[in-house]
Amino acid sequence: MSTGLLESPLRARRDGGHKLLMPYVTGGIAPGWTGYLRAFAAAGADAIELGLPFSDPTLDGATIQEASDAALARGATAHGILAEVAELRLDVPLVASTYYNLVLRDGPAEFCRALRRAGIAGLIVPDLPLDEADELADAAAATGVDLVLLASPATPRRRLDEIARRSRGFVYAVSVMGTTGERAALAEPAAALTERIKQGSDRPVLLGFGISTPEQAVEATRRADGVVIGAAIMRRILDGAAPDDVGAYLTGLRRALDQERDETRWPATPDTRRGTAP
């Protein structure tokens, strides 16, 4: 199976026993906002989701909507954000996410070419129905951009298999039937959805919507290959957190995921737990 600039590194990390961490930032959210991208990479992100702000983000909850409004009020545009990203040199793949209106404005082919010129490896368009995705999927494939598709707990089996087959980069598993946002606990349908996707595909599965604490991330990756962290990051940024502050938060998540992996692969014996000889 041929894989793209996003899927190849994610598969390699997963197959090497690592759990995947993909943080999100709204482009143009603050002066010097690209510093957050550098902080994410330094904290151990495996990919970074870059939101291109849109005036009516229907799938996003209050936090991401507030972030989009703030970025647009500063004059942020999709092309301006991509121009700033093009000047970066990050070793972590970037995944643009936005709504289909912005894609239609340029046309799918030109939009995808603009993404590639900026060094973007993947694209998420949450309001694009699977049945209407052919044109964008073809344009993305022609430019080497992995078009990531979403699946929800309510997705029927046949459609879920089709999403898993046609998605590129990874399959984005939506943990709840609702909008993005922080939640007190991981939604119960999340684990079952991950298992259903994995029954029909070997593509990496990342779980998002509502994951904000190390404990939730660890719980999610007991079934999923990785997690997407969005609203929890944007809440911190909107409250004034600097790149180093958000980087420290992500470092804690990265450490928790790595520790869980190590404990699963190398369970402690009674002697090593006590630190004493038999």
Side-chain angles (χ1 to χ4, degrees), residues 194-229:
T194 301
E195 290 294 334
R196 291 172 61 215
I197 296 171
K198 285 179 169 291
Q199 289 172 9
S201 174
D202 183 47
R203 189 159 280 115
V205 177
L206 272 63
L207 188 65
F209 285 40
I211 299 170
S212 57
T213 69
E215 293 77 14
Q216 290 171 350
V218 167
E219 181 182 354
T221 55
R222 288 178 178 146
R223 300 288 181 87
D225 298 307
V227 290
V228 183
I229 312 293

Side-chain angles (χ1 to χ4, degrees), residues 9 29 37-38 62 64 70 76 79 91 93 95 99-100 130 134-135 137 160 162 174 181 185 192 233 256 258:
I29 183 63
L37 299 179
R38 295 188 178 93
I64 304 297
H79 288 290
D91 293 331
V95 184
Y99 289 83
Y100 200 52
L130 177 66
D134 288 351
E135 184 180 6
L160 191 66
E162 183 72 2
V174 176
I233 290 173
D258 291 345

Side-chain angles (χ1 to χ4, degrees), residues 43-110:
D46 297 291
I48 298 172
E49 183 180 358
L50 170 61
L52 303 179
F54 178 61
S55 58
D56 298 288
T58 54
L59 192 67
D60 292 307
T63 299
I64 304 297
Q65 289 186 29
E66 182 182 349
S68 293
D69 289 345
L72 292 172
R74 292 190 63 251
T77 65
H79 288 290
I81 290 167
L82 294 179
E84 291 186 76
V85 170
E87 298 178 1
L88 298 177
R89 293 293 182 268
L90 296 177
D91 293 331
V92 177
L94 298 177
V95 184
S97 63
T98 194
Y99 289 83
Y100 200 52
N101 295 59
L102 294 186
V103 178
L104 284 176
R105 186 178 62 185
D106 290 346
E110 178 53 36

Side-chain angles (χ1 to χ4, degrees), residues 161-271:
D161 289 343
E162 183 72 2
I163 289 171
R165 183 183 68 81
R166 295 180 58 184
S167 187
R168 296 293 180 266
F170 62 93
V171 180
Y172 194 138
V174 176
S175 67
V176 294
M177 295 299 297
T179 59
T180 61
E182 296 177 85
R183 290 175 172 83
L186 189 65
E188 291 185 7
L193 172 60
T194 301
E195 290 294 334
R196 291 172 61 215
I197 296 171
K198 285 179 169 291
Q199 289 172 9
S201 174
D202 183 47
R203 189 159 280 115
V205 177
L206 272 63
L207 188 65
F209 285 40
I211 299 170
S212 57
T213 69
E215 293 77 14
Q216 290 171 350
V218 167
E219 181 182 354
T221 55
R222 288 178 178 146
R223 300 288 181 87
D225 298 307
V227 290
V228 183
I229 312 293
I233 290 173
M234 295 315 303
R235 183 72 269 154
R236 286 166 169 79
I237 293 175
L238 288 167
D239 288 345
D244 287 347
D245 299 323
V246 182
Y249 162 70
L250 284 176
T251 296
L253 288 166
R254 176 80 273 169
R255 187 179 298 117
L257 293 175
D258 291 345
Q259 181 176 348
E260 175 72 9
R261 176 203 63 180
D262 292 341
E263 290 180 354
T264 301
R265 295 175 65 187
W266 307 106
T269 65
D271 297 324

